[in-house]
Amino acid sequence: MPTNSSEFEIKFLFPSDKLQAIEKFIVSKGGIRRQHLQAIYIDTPDFLLTQAGVAFRLRKEGRQWIQTLKVSTSNPLERLEHNVTLSAVGSAIPHWDIELHQSHEAGHLLKKRLSKLQTKDLQASYQTDIWRRKALVRTRQGLVEYALDLGFIQVNQPTGMTKTVVQELEIELKEGPSSNVLLHAQNIIKRYKAYIDTRSKSEHGYLLARNLQANPPVRAKSVSLKKIHGDMAAINLLIHSCLSQVLPNQSVLNSEALNPSEYLHQLRVGLRRLKVLFKYLARHNIFIGEEGLEVFKKTFDALGQYRDSDYLTGTLNPVLLSLGGPEIKLSAIQDLPNPSHITRNAEFQLLLIELMSLGTPPIVEPVEGKDAQENSAAIKKTAVKLLNNTFHFVVDRVPRFALLEDEEIHTLRKKMKFMRYSLEFFRDYCDKNQYRKFFKSISSTLDHFGLFNDICVSISRIEGLTEGDPTLLFALGWLKAERQRVRSLCEKSIKKLIQGELAWKI
């Protein structure tokens, strides 16, 4: 018989020296026996399912085969899941049939994302062999399941079989509100130095099959509020849009990626988008605590050190060398420890749990027409008011731009970033044509202001070192001249920005 459900879970990785303690903990909760789970993941030869956020598998549980379809949602912790118990038993791999899921919402979403997909297009792509130890834990409001998975994922390549080890802990909601999972997740982080990993077994199998270390960095995706029913649903969608960028990028950084620069940058963008969103949430009495805000700032600043060093080594030194100047020998990004020590930190991981707690609703049902517009009236009013206030702040300072200190220019940059991220959130509240023009103008302006900020940071780092290292004087002179040139570009672009039509509807 088919079973219909959605899946809400958090998956953790943890230091190997914590495995014995975690296993003992699960045994103490009733997880005495282990279950052997062997699965075959099905996809097209070019992995269209995986790239569409879909996992399709056959899993042997004992002698029984279960066919499962999982489809991602706007909530990075929730997937639609549909299980069908097949009549086949034994070791022989049964035939699969994607049409068995067509009556479930997961099947509907799959059809929407891959409308031309047919069962004949699919093939076995990789396999998992897992020993699972699980325990059900009753809470005051429901039930959660702990599952400790140990085993491997394997792919049969033309050159032979390749494997990757699986050692992960999942906490899945079985009954009650999702806050049950979040409370247990906090405990696991504190006790076992565990850290969140959003990469599924299907993603790991895909990477192994493609001989990749990680998927590309996750960038911010557009948000549509047109069909959202109610202010809280809109708020939760905005929170999830930020977490959908933050969680995957921090997961790759946690894995000690060899080339972390762009993942780190996109993580900082996601955190910056969250910071903008905090101002809107505050208008609806939704906050994170003072301790969380402090951790947020500390983490963001620590990650910023890597970004500053990246500018010096990746941008400034090549320019100086091309001009015949000496290379700057300051600490470079490759000299810093891997940023995983920042993202794996328990304080940051607990902050992520707190952020998840701000928005964990059920799947949002779309609403058409007038009702949807009326139900989002409060959100729209808040958005327009804050955008207007921020724009007026910028307009007020542009006439005396030539007199502004560097720190005041940096403040203008932050205000414009607030506007740009706000526009990404509230695009549906804008005039379509004016949006494109204004967004292009503010993005171009921010590029100039960003370069100006990089130059100012570099001058600050170098200026105090020239007495001990005279070779830095060449770089310092070039940077100060470049600062004046770029400052002029900033002034021209921001004057052009404020003269254009506003993107949002007042």
Side-chain angles (χ1 to χ4, degrees):
M1 291 181 63
T3 59
N4 305 327
S5 64
S6 64
E7 172 189 72
F8 182 92
E9 69 177 21
I10 301 179
K11 186 174 74 174
F12 292 98
L13 302 182
F14 49 86
S16 293
D17 61 5
K18 298 295 181 181
L19 173 59
Q20 187 175 358
I22 290 175
E23 197 157 20
K24 184 177 179 181
F25 166 75
I26 294 180
V27 170
S28 73
K29 298 296 182 181
I32 298 173
R33 293 185 177 181
R34 293 199 304 168
Q35 183 181 18
H36 194 198
L37 305 173
Q38 295 170 296
I40 296 95
Y41 283 79
I42 317 299
D43 211 327
T44 65
D46 49 356
F47 296 97
L48 290 178
L49 288 177
T50 301
Q51 294 176 60
V54 176
F56 181 47
R57 76 172 183 225
L58 298 175
R59 187 163 76 183
K60 185 170 175 283
E61 302 182 12
R63 288 180 54 78
Q64 188 69 64
W65 285 92
I66 311 293
Q67 180 177 294
T68 300
L69 177 69
K70 296 185 180 185
V71 184
S72 62
T73 70
S74 60
N75 184 344
L77 302 177
E78 187 168 26
R79 293 186 291 180
L80 292 176
E81 178 179 337
H82 187 220
N83 298 300
V84 179
T85 301
L86 303 180
S87 58
V89 294
S91 58
I93 299 174
H95 294 291
W96 54 79
D97 185 1
I98 200 75
E99 296 301 320
L100 293 176
H101 306 285
Q102 63 178 346
S103 63
H104 187 261
E105 191 176 355
H108 296 163
L109 267 181
L110 172 62
K111 200 72 175 175
K112 185 176 180 181
R113 296 180 188 181
L114 297 170
S115 59
K116 297 181 180 180
L117 181 73
Q118 298 180 38
T119 297
K120 66 180 179 64
D121 301 325
L122 302 171
Q123 65 180 30
S125 298
Y126 37 87
Q127 303 172 356
T128 61
D129 194 307
I130 303 294
W131 284 95
R132 171 170 290 180
R133 189 184 296 279
K134 66 181 181 181
L136 287 171
V137 178
R138 178 67 61 180
T139 70
R140 290 183 179 180
Q141 296 177 297
L143 193 67
V144 299
E145 179 184 84
Y146 282 87
L148 175 63
D149 286 352
L150 304 175
F152 57 86
I153 302 170
Q154 68 179 38
V155 177
N156 293 319
Q157 305 274 35
T159 55
M161 184 183 296
T162 57
K163 291 184 179 182
T164 186
V165 173
V166 173
Q167 180 181 286
E168 61 191 34
L169 176 67
E170 297 174 356
I171 308 177
E172 182 178 351
L173 182 68
K174 291 299 182 182
E175 295 176 12
S178 52
S179 57
N180 287 334
V181 171
L182 301 179
L183 288 172
H184 281 258
Q186 289 176 332
N187 184 51
I188 290 299
I189 293 169
K190 292 175 182 177
R191 291 180 64 176
Y192 304 113
K193 297 182 179 179
Y195 44 93
I196 299 162
D197 190 277
T198 57
R199 297 169 301 169
S200 64
K201 293 181 181 67
S202 62
E203 182 177 341
H204 282 293
Y206 164 77
L207 294 173
L208 189 64
R210 286 293 181 90
N211 196 29
L212 299 171
Q213 184 190 36
N215 276 320
V218 175
R219 299 175 181 275
K221 295 180 175 63
S222 60
V223 179
S224 178
L225 301 176
K226 285 182 179 178
K227 298 181 180 180
I228 297 304
H229 181 60
D231 288 328
M232 286 310 302
I235 287 170
N236 284 311
L237 182 62
L238 293 170
I239 293 169
H240 294 157
S241 76
C242 294
L243 290 176
S244 293
Q245 183 178 17
V246 168
L247 293 175
N249 287 309
Q250 70 90 37
S251 294
V252 174
L253 291 174
N254 286 341
S255 70
E256 300 185 12
L258 295 178
N259 298 299
S261 180
E262 188 58 24
Y263 296 96
L264 191 149
H265 173 60
Q266 292 303 326
L267 173 57
R268 292 187 81 233
V269 170
L271 292 175
R272 194 179 285 117
R273 292 175 78 231
L274 272 168
K275 188 177 180 181
V276 168
L277 192 55
F278 289 161
K279 295 187 179 181
Y280 291 96
L281 297 181
R283 298 297 181 97
H284 296 272
N285 296 314
I286 300 173
F287 306 92
I288 65 171
E290 288 297 324
E291 186 176 335
L293 286 173
E294 183 60 33
V295 172
F296 190 99
K297 183 180 185 304
K298 184 167 69 173
T299 302
F300 190 83
D301 290 346
L303 294 170
Q305 295 179 10
Y306 289 76
R307 190 67 182 164
D308 295 341
S309 296
D310 202 22
Y311 169 76
L312 278 176
T313 57
T315 303
L316 180 57
N317 272 336
V319 171
L320 294 176
L321 290 172
S322 71
L323 295 173
E327 185 179 18
I328 297 177
K329 300 291 186 180
L330 299 182
S331 60
I333 192 167
Q334 59 265 28
D335 300 323
L336 296 170
N338 190 283
S340 62
H341 80 282
I342 300 172
T343 53
R344 285 185 182 182
N345 184 276
E347 284 186 337
F348 179 61
Q349 292 296 311
L350 290 171
L351 171 63
L352 293 178
I353 299 296
E354 186 176 1
L355 293 170
M356 293 174 200
S357 71
L358 297 180
T360 52
I363 301 299
V364 176
E365 295 293 336
V367 174
E368 303 287 348
K370 186 178 179 182
D371 288 341
Q373 295 176 359
E374 290 178 348
N375 284 330
S376 62
I379 289 287
K380 182 176 180 179
K381 184 178 180 181
T382 301
V384 171
K385 184 176 180 179
L386 289 180
L387 278 166
N388 281 334
N389 290 344
T390 307
F391 185 74
H392 290 150
F393 179 94
V394 173
V395 169
D396 181 62
R397 283 151 181 79
V398 170
R400 49 191 178 86
F401 187 91
L403 303 176
L404 296 181
E405 300 290 339
D406 289 350
E407 190 58 37
E408 292 176 293
I409 294 176
H410 182 56
T411 299
L412 277 179
R413 176 175 176 246
K414 290 192 288 186
K415 293 293 184 180
M416 286 188 290
K417 278 182 175 289
F418 176 85
M419 284 195 289
R420 188 177 71 178
Y421 292 133
S422 296
L423 291 175
E424 290 176 357
F425 291 143
F426 304 114
R427 182 172 184 165
D428 290 339
Y429 302 155
C430 296
D431 178 273
K432 187 176 181 180
N433 293 322
Q434 296 304 333
Y435 177 90
R436 292 194 188 97
K437 296 176 183 177
F438 190 88
F439 195 84
K440 181 179 179 180
S441 180
I442 197 170
S443 297
S444 175
T445 303
L446 279 169
D447 286 343
H448 293 141
F449 275 70
L451 178 57
F452 182 79
N453 183 69
D454 286 336
I455 292 170
C456 290
V457 170
S458 297
I459 289 174
S460 178
R461 292 185 67 183
I462 294 171
E463 209 158 23
L465 302 174
T466 53
E467 187 173 334
D469 186 359
T471 62
L472 295 176
L473 288 171
F474 180 88
L476 186 61
W478 183 87
L479 282 167
K480 287 185 175 182
E482 186 70 358
R483 178 171 61 182
Q484 288 304 114
R485 184 187 73 84
V486 174
R487 183 182 174 114
S488 177
L489 291 176
C490 290
E491 184 174 8
K492 290 178 182 177
S493 60
I494 199 170
K495 285 181 176 178
K496 181 180 178 181
L497 173 70
I498 65 171
Q499 290 169 1
E501 293 288 333
L502 294 180
W504 55 96
K505 303 169 185 176
I506 298 177

